[in-house]
Amino acid sequence: MLEYLRNAADKPLAKILIGILAFSFVGWGVAEWIFGSVAGDTTLVKVGDSEITMQQFSLEKNRQLSLMTRDQQRATYADPSLTQALNEQVMSALTTQAMADSRAEDLGFVVSDAQIAREIREFPEFQLNGEFSTYLFDSVLANSGYSEAAFADILRKQVLRGYVLGAMSVPVNVSDFMVKAAYNARYGQRQIDYVAVDFSDFDIGTPTDEQLRMYYDQNPHVIPEQREVSYVLIPADMDKPDSYDEAYNQAVLVEDDIIAGDAMADAAKRHNAKYVSLGAFDAGSRPVDEILTDNMMNRIFDMEEGLESELIESKKGFVIVRVDKIIPSHNAKFDTIKKNLVSDWKRSEQRKQAYIKANELLVDLNDNGALPGKKTVTITRASGAPLDVLSAAFNSEVGTNSIVNGQNSFYVLHIEKETDPSLDEKKMADIRKELEKSINKEIIDDYNAFLIRKYPIKVNEKVFNRFFAK
């Protein structure tokens, strides 16, 4: 490799990201600390005929961690949702690279050692006084933990990935017709006539019990599934290894006692942990509690009744959760919500009367062209009338008469005519860029879909669950 570096030509074929070198391994060993050592099969995922191993995952995750600030690293260690997001980001990057490698091989792309050498000579980190320095090259690689061969392999993959995916970023030419059509559709104006029939215009009396019961039979109030939950919290400063280890050992003792048959409250008291019993709640209305994060709520509503969770890491420490009772979703009893039904019934009856009135106006409009009390306005897609009217006016043909369903009113609408907007060069240019970006994204999405079909991703469930089981 160094022989190539000393003899290669001066101009590089392409620039590549140099971030793969410019880091110190602050996070080195983190994956091993979290996951432990593994013997035997370490293949996490197969992408086509390529394999992504746990070692590759750990190396890439360490690289991602090292690019974070210390505060970001601590937050990632302490928050399971952030850890999961990082794992997904790393796996996405590795699978994308594997698909690009496979595609490059199928297409017969080759990157020679001489080309890699020319690329490396252009890295600013390897230059001294404008010249390539073998001393800096060796020093940076030694500090980053890469051998020459390993670094050359990473660099070669980056170049090949550029060959495979680079064409996807080339801007797409958009025709003037497309730009003009999009411009007219977005900034065009319409003249409309409309009249609002407000629900509140109709006076509805007080309902009888029989009317309320009939209404409730047609509109039952469903109480969603609820769960009664208790948990034990072993507090810890999760950013400090000593506190983390001490709390973990204590949590294991609590867990052992619970497995042995002790009540959670008793096990918590024996080991000076915090025990909390929560009342019934559903997934959409959690109680105010420090451990009930979105991730924890997902866990709770995936658990079965009467079972405890494994040890869960949270920002506050280690947690063991138990689902004490599951209350299935059910219809509320009529007597418990009778008072609340009155206003709902009145609004329903007002809506019915308003719809009858709107239909009378529409019939008159269709038969005689008359629309008493109408407003005549010129509108754009964003202004000039209520939002529901704007949406209907631009989604129907000129000359259409219709009833528009609003939140508090029905609108009887007539679309009179359409006017093209005056030209605005800046807005036209902005739309052209937007269309180019949109079409380019569709091309990338289609190509990614092709790569996924061509090189299907298969998860090694046994190994994957060993490291990522919740």
Side-chain angles (χ1 to χ4, degrees):
M1 171 61 70
L2 288 178
E3 183 65 25
Y4 277 113
L5 293 175
R6 294 187 180 95
N7 300 318
D10 292 331
K11 293 184 178 180
L13 292 178
K15 288 284 185 183
I16 25 155
L17 297 177
I18 62 174
I20 54 176
L21 289 179
F23 65 88
S24 61
F25 274 65
V26 176
W28 189 261
V30 169
E32 286 72 19
W33 175 62
I34 295 174
F35 300 120
S37 59
V38 180
D41 185 11
T42 61
T43 300
L44 284 174
V45 173
K46 289 191 69 176
V47 182
D49 294 330
S50 302
E51 294 183 348
I52 297 174
T53 66
M54 189 59 208
Q55 290 80 2
Q56 290 174 292
F57 178 89
S58 297
L59 180 62
E60 177 62 17
K61 184 172 182 178
N62 288 334
R63 189 183 76 80
Q64 295 283 358
L65 285 166
S66 69
L67 297 176
M68 299 180 183
T69 65
R70 292 186 180 276
D71 287 342
Q72 289 172 330
Q73 289 177 358
R74 283 194 290 267
T76 301
Y77 300 153
D79 189 338
S81 64
L82 292 179
T83 300
Q84 181 180 350
L86 176 60
N87 290 341
E88 292 173 354
Q89 178 182 335
V90 171
M91 190 58 67
S92 175
L94 290 173
T95 52
T96 300
Q97 182 65 59
M99 285 189 288
D101 291 345
S102 298
R103 189 59 182 160
E105 182 178 355
D106 287 350
L107 293 174
F109 292 156
V110 175
V111 180
S112 67
D113 286 346
Q115 181 178 340
I116 295 300
R118 288 195 299 271
E119 297 286 343
I120 292 175
R121 290 178 67 86
E122 296 298 320
F123 275 72
E125 284 71 17
F126 302 150
Q127 294 185 6
L128 182 64
N129 298 325
E131 298 291 336
F132 176 76
S133 168
T134 56
Y135 170 75
L136 288 177
F137 176 72
D138 292 339
S139 297
V140 173
L141 258 64
N143 291 334
S144 64
Y146 282 111
S147 65
E148 288 183 20
F151 176 65
D153 183 60
I154 290 175
L155 190 55
R156 181 174 285 104
K157 288 182 177 181
Q158 291 289 333
V159 175
L160 288 172
R161 179 172 177 170
Y163 289 167
V164 173
L165 303 178
M168 299 300 103
S169 62
V170 176
V172 177
N173 290 327
V174 177
S175 69
D176 293 339
F177 171 78
M178 291 179 63
V179 176
K180 183 69 178 295
Y183 180 80
N184 288 341
R186 181 172 300 181
Y187 296 108
Q189 297 179 332
R190 288 192 170 189
Q191 181 181 314
I192 63 170
D193 302 325
Y194 77 96
V195 63
V197 182
D198 297 330
F199 302 164
S200 58
D201 289 343
F202 299 88
D203 186 18
I204 303 298
T206 302
T208 64
D209 282 359
E210 182 180 359
Q211 288 174 315
L212 286 179
R213 287 186 180 277
M214 290 179 59
Y215 175 78
Y216 185 61
D217 288 342
Q218 298 172 353
N219 304 275
H221 177 71
V222 178
I223 297 177
E225 178 184 295
Q226 295 178 311
R227 301 201 168 197
E228 295 180 2
V229 174
S230 55
Y231 70 85
V232 176
L233 171 65
I234 299 88
D237 188 339
M238 304 297 276
D239 295 336
K240 297 180 179 179
D242 289 344
S243 177
Y244 179 99
D245 291 341
E246 181 181 352
Y248 176 78
N249 293 332
Q250 183 182 0
V252 169
L253 295 176
V254 174
E255 185 178 43
D256 289 343
D257 286 353
I258 293 173
I259 293 173
D262 287 357
M264 289 183 70
D266 294 338
K269 183 177 180 180
R270 182 178 300 111
H271 297 284
N272 298 317
K274 179 181 179 181
Y275 172 76
V276 176
S277 179
L278 302 172
F281 59 89
D282 60 66
S285 58
R286 74 188 74 177
V288 178
D289 190 279
E290 58 187 358
I291 75 151
L292 291 184
T293 62
D294 290 342
N295 186 59
M296 186 66 75
M297 288 288 289
N298 290 336
R299 286 176 178 268
I300 288 172
F301 279 85
D302 279 342
M303 294 174 61
E304 296 181 12
E305 181 176 326
L307 297 182
E308 297 89 14
S309 70
E310 75 281 8
L311 288 179
I312 302 172
E313 293 186 24
S314 74
K315 291 182 178 180
K316 298 295 182 178
F318 292 93
V319 180
I320 302 173
V321 176
R322 176 185 171 87
V323 175
D324 298 311
K325 185 177 181 180
I326 296 177
I327 305 171
S329 62
H330 58 281
N331 292 344
K333 294 181 179 180
F334 172 78
D335 292 337
T336 62
I337 61 168
K338 177 181 175 180
K339 292 182 180 179
N340 297 331
L341 291 176
V342 174
S343 61
D344 292 342
W345 178 88
K346 286 185 176 181
R347 181 175 177 81
S348 175
E349 292 300 311
Q350 286 177 320
R351 192 176 189 279
K352 291 177 183 178
Q353 295 301 319
Y355 188 70
I356 293 172
K357 177 63 177 178
N359 267 282
E360 292 173 353
L361 292 173
L362 180 62
V363 169
D364 194 23
L365 176 62
N366 288 332
D367 292 346
N368 306 313
L371 187 59
K374 69 180 181 182
K375 293 182 180 179
T376 300
V377 294
T378 298
I379 62 172
T380 67
R381 289 184 178 273
S383 63
L387 184 60
D388 295 318
V389 174
L390 295 180
S391 179
F394 280 97
N395 283 305
S396 302
E397 298 292 333
V398 172
T400 299
N401 299 328
S402 63
I403 293 177
V404 179
N405 186 2
Q407 183 175 0
N408 298 302
S409 308
F410 286 110
Y411 301 94
V412 182
L413 170 66
H414 168 70
I415 305 172
E416 180 64 26
K417 64 180 180 180
E418 184 173 39
T419 305
D420 289 340
S422 57
L423 292 181
D424 185 315
E425 295 297 335
K426 183 180 183 305
K427 290 181 179 178
M428 292 276 282
D430 290 341
I431 286 180
R432 183 179 297 277
K433 291 179 181 178
E434 183 181 324
L435 289 174
E436 289 174 350
K437 184 177 181 181
S438 176
I439 294 173
N440 186 252
K441 182 179 183 302
E442 290 180 6
I443 293 173
I444 292 174
D445 290 343
D446 286 345
Y447 191 63
N448 285 339
F450 161 74
L451 290 177
I452 292 173
R453 292 194 303 271
K454 182 73 174 177
Y455 311 104
I457 299 172
K458 298 179 180 179
V459 177
N460 185 342
E461 297 288 350
K462 182 177 180 181
V463 177
F464 194 91
N465 291 335
R466 187 188 309 163
F467 292 105
F468 300 112
K470 297 180 179 180

